[in-house]
Amino acid sequence: MNRHILQQLLRTGCILILLAETAAAQTMTVITGRVADRPVKSVSLSYWYDPGISPAITQDTLLKQDSFYFRIPLTAGRQVFFYADAGGGYNFYGLIRAGDSLHIRMQGDSLFFSGGGAVVCRVMYMATREQARIAVPSLGTAAALAVGYRQQLLAGSRILAAYRDSMSRATWSMINAHVQGETAAKLVSTLWKLPAAPDSTMEERQVRFYQQEILPALPVIVPSDTTAMAIRYLGYLLQKAEADYFIQHRYECNNRAIYEWLKMRYSGRFRDKLLAHALTLGFAAGNQQEEQEWCVRDYLSAAQDEACKQAIGKLYGRSKKGISKGSTAPAFTFQDQHGRPVSLQQFSGKVVLLHFYNSTDALLSVLSEIKTCFDDNTVSFVNICCNGNTVKDLPGWLLQLDEQHADLLTQYNISKYPSLIVVGKNGKIYATRPPDPLSDHGTALTNIIYEALLQ
C-alpha cells in the first residue's frame, strides 16, 4: 500500500477514535414538559455548569401543542442546577444529572415530575413548597422575621431528611445546601433589621440576638466541592461572614475584610470557589475599586483552581478597560433642564461628584445632607438622569441624558443606578465607586470628597 495513503488512513482512524471518545464523554440530558391549563407561549430554561463563577446558559423555546423540549449537553457524571420558567407562576429551580430525562407537567397550582430525574426535583419542589406555606411578614420586626425563617428551615429539613436515602449522598448534599442555604441567608439578614433600644446599645442587642435567635437555627452544611455547586449556599456563607465579622469586631467591615476573613476560614477548591463568587459579586455591585483590585490581585496569585482564576482574570481585564483612579475623566457637553450647555470642563479647579441615576433613585436626602458640607466654589454636584424624569430637588446641576450622549455610560462604565464618581480638581478620576452613602449617612463619601479637595 502507498505510504502516503497509509498515513492518511492512520490519521483518519485517530480522528474517529477521538470523536468516539468525545461522544462517549458527552451525553444529552433531556428536559421536557407540558403546560396543561394556561395559555403559555414560550418557556425559558437556564442552567449553570459552574455556579458562582460562570454565567447562565439560557435557551428559549416556543410551545408546540402545549409542550416544550430542551437538551443539555453534559459530561458523564456531571450534575447541573437549572431554572425553568413558563411565566404565570410556573417556575422551578431543579437539579439534573447527565443522561437523565425529566418531564415536568404544570397544572393548577402544582408541578408534577416523572422520568429519571424526577425524585431529586420532586424533593426540591416539596421542600421549597413546604417552606413557602409558612408566612413571613414582609414588614415584620427582626424577631418576627427570625421566627418565620427558623420555622421555614425546620420545614425544609423535615422534607429533605425523609428522602435522604432515596438518592446518592452527593446529590442530597447539593440540594440540602441549595434549599437550606437560601433560607439561612434570610435568617442571617434579620440581624441588620434589629432596632435600637434606649436601655442598651445597638451592638449589645445585636450580639444577643445573633447568638440566641440566629446561630442555633442555622443548618449544619459541610463545605465541600459538592456543596460549592449550590450558589445559594455560597451566598449564605458570604452573608454569614459579614455577620460573624461584625459580631466579633463590633463594627461594619469592608469588602477586603470579608475577603480576608473567608480566606482564613476555608481551604482548597472550596475556598477558591467561594472567594471567586465574592469577587464576581463585587464586580457586579461596583465595589470600591482600590479594595476590589487588591483582592483580585491577591486571589490571582494565591488561588489554585484554574477555572476560577480564569473567570476572575477575565472579569478583571474587562473592568480595567473602563475608567480608573488617576485617568482623565471622559469629557461631555449637553444641556441642563433649562436648555443651557453644561460641560465637565467648566468645573475645572473644583471637585465634582457625578451622580448617575434613574427614576427610582434613593439618594435625594443623603446627597442634600452631604452638599451642606461643601461650598459651591470648591465642590460641584452634577446629577445625570439616565432613565426617566429628572429629580428636581437634587442638589447641584440637573442634566438629562439623551440618545445622542448614551455612549457616556460606556465611557464611565456605568452598569447600575445610582452610580457615583468623584472627579478631582485636575479633571482626573479620584474615586470610581465610592461606598454607598445610604449605608453610613454619607460619611465615607463626604470624607472622600474632602480628601479629593486636599489633592
Side-chain angles (χ1 to χ4, degrees), residues 168-199:
S168 70
R169 181 177 180 181
T171 299
W172 188 89
S173 296
M174 288 175 68
I175 66 172
N176 178 59
H178 169 83
V179 173
Q180 298 295 72
E182 180 180 18
T183 308
K186 294 176 182 178
L187 176 58
V188 172
S189 70
T190 62
L191 173 66
W192 314 114
K193 301 180 184 296
L194 195 69
D199 60 338

Side-chain angles (χ1 to χ4, degrees), residues 187-314:
L187 176 58
V188 172
S189 70
T190 62
L191 173 66
W192 314 114
K193 301 180 184 296
L194 195 69
D199 60 338
S200 62
T201 65
M202 179 66 161
E203 290 81 4
E204 289 173 348
R205 297 189 70 234
Q206 285 175 310
V207 170
R208 288 200 302 272
F209 186 78
Y210 190 65
Q211 293 175 342
Q212 297 173 9
E213 308 297 330
I214 296 177
L215 277 180
L218 294 178
V220 178
I221 302 173
V222 179
S224 67
D225 290 353
T226 299
T227 52
M229 288 294 293
I231 187 68
R232 293 181 175 177
Y233 174 53
L234 298 182
Y236 153 64
L237 291 181
L238 296 185
Q239 289 210 32
K240 187 174 184 296
E242 185 176 353
D244 288 340
Y245 186 96
F246 173 79
I247 294 300
Q248 180 168 322
H249 296 281
R250 303 295 182 90
Y251 57 82
E252 293 183 15
C253 55
N254 56 32
N255 299 300
R256 176 171 171 176
I258 287 294
Y259 172 88
E260 294 183 301
W261 178 273
L262 295 170
K263 185 179 176 182
M264 290 173 55
R265 282 159 176 77
Y266 298 96
S267 60
R269 187 176 187 276
F270 185 88
R271 180 179 66 182
D272 288 355
K273 183 73 175 291
L274 181 59
L275 290 176
H277 181 51
L279 293 173
T280 299
L281 292 178
F283 282 119
N287 283 353
Q288 191 170 7
Q289 183 177 354
E290 292 77 11
E291 286 184 4
Q292 182 79 355
E293 188 163 326
W294 185 93
C295 295
V296 168
R297 288 179 176 176
D298 180 80
Y299 182 82
L300 293 177
S301 66
Q304 300 298 313
D305 187 275
E306 286 301 322
C308 292
K309 290 176 67 174
Q310 288 178 15
I312 296 304
K314 185 181 294 184

Side-chain angles (χ1 to χ4, degrees), residues 4-311:
H4 180 67
I5 295 175
L6 181 61
Q7 289 176 335
Q8 283 186 322
L9 289 172
L10 288 172
R11 280 197 294 269
T12 302
C14 290
I15 292 172
L16 290 173
I17 291 172
L18 288 173
L19 289 174
E21 290 177 347
T22 302
Q26 291 280 334
T27 183
M28 283 297 173
T29 299
V30 177
I31 298 177
T32 60
R34 182 170 181 268
V35 181
D37 59 352
R38 298 187 190 180
V40 175
K41 294 182 178 180
S42 65
V43 176
S44 175
L45 181 80
S46 300
Y47 56 95
W48 296 261
Y49 283 121
D50 209 348
I53 61 171
S54 66
I57 299 172
T58 301
Q59 303 177 23
D60 295 288
T61 186
L62 296 174
L63 268 69
K64 296 180 179 179
Q65 296 181 342
D66 299 330
S67 299
F68 57 87
Y69 177 90
F70 293 102
R71 298 172 67 195
I72 302 176
L74 279 180
T75 305
R78 288 288 304 270
Q79 298 184 87
V80 296
F81 282 102
F82 70 89
Y83 179 75
D85 189 353
Y90 283 149
N91 54 72
F92 174 67
Y93 210 126
L95 178 71
I96 195 165
R97 64 184 179 184
D100 274 350
S101 60
L102 176 69
H103 183 80
I104 308 172
R105 181 164 58 91
M106 305 175 179
Q107 186 171 6
D109 64 348
S110 302
L111 304 181
F112 303 90
F113 304 91
S114 58
V119 173
V120 174
C121 290
R122 188 180 299 119
V123 174
M124 292 181 68
Y125 178 66
M126 291 172 60
T128 53
R129 284 265 293 199
E130 195 65 23
Q131 288 180 332
R133 294 182 194 278
I134 299 171
V136 178
S138 58
L139 299 177
T141 64
L145 291 170
V147 168
Y149 293 136
R150 289 199 302 268
Q151 292 176 347
Q152 287 187 345
L153 284 171
L154 288 173
S157 66
R158 284 195 295 268
I159 298 294
L160 291 165
Y163 289 88
R164 187 166 190 164
D165 296 332
S166 62
M167 63 193 76
S168 70
R169 181 177 180 181
T171 299
W172 188 89
S173 296
M174 288 175 68
I175 66 172
N176 178 59
H178 169 83
V179 173
Q180 298 295 72
E182 180 180 18
T183 308
K186 294 176 182 178
L187 176 58
V188 172
S189 70
T190 62
L191 173 66
W192 314 114
K193 301 180 184 296
L194 195 69
D199 60 338
S200 62
T201 65
M202 179 66 161
E203 290 81 4
E204 289 173 348
R205 297 189 70 234
Q206 285 175 310
V207 170
R208 288 200 302 272
F209 186 78
Y210 190 65
Q211 293 175 342
Q212 297 173 9
E213 308 297 330
I214 296 177
L215 277 180
L218 294 178
V220 178
I221 302 173
V222 179
S224 67
D225 290 353
T226 299
T227 52
M229 288 294 293
I231 187 68
R232 293 181 175 177
Y233 174 53
L234 298 182
Y236 153 64
L237 291 181
L238 296 185
Q239 289 210 32
K240 187 174 184 296
E242 185 176 353
D244 288 340
Y245 186 96
F246 173 79
I247 294 300
Q248 180 168 322
H249 296 281
R250 303 295 182 90
Y251 57 82
E252 293 183 15
C253 55
N254 56 32
N255 299 300
R256 176 171 171 176
I258 287 294
Y259 172 88
E260 294 183 301
W261 178 273
L262 295 170
K263 185 179 176 182
M264 290 173 55
R265 282 159 176 77
Y266 298 96
S267 60
R269 187 176 187 276
F270 185 88
R271 180 179 66 182
D272 288 355
K273 183 73 175 291
L274 181 59
L275 290 176
H277 181 51
L279 293 173
T280 299
L281 292 178
F283 282 119
N287 283 353
Q288 191 170 7
Q289 183 177 354
E290 292 77 11
E291 286 184 4
Q292 182 79 355
E293 188 163 326
W294 185 93
C295 295
V296 168
R297 288 179 176 176
D298 180 80
Y299 182 82
L300 293 177
S301 66
Q304 300 298 313
D305 187 275
E306 286 301 322
C308 292
K309 290 176 67 174
Q310 288 178 15

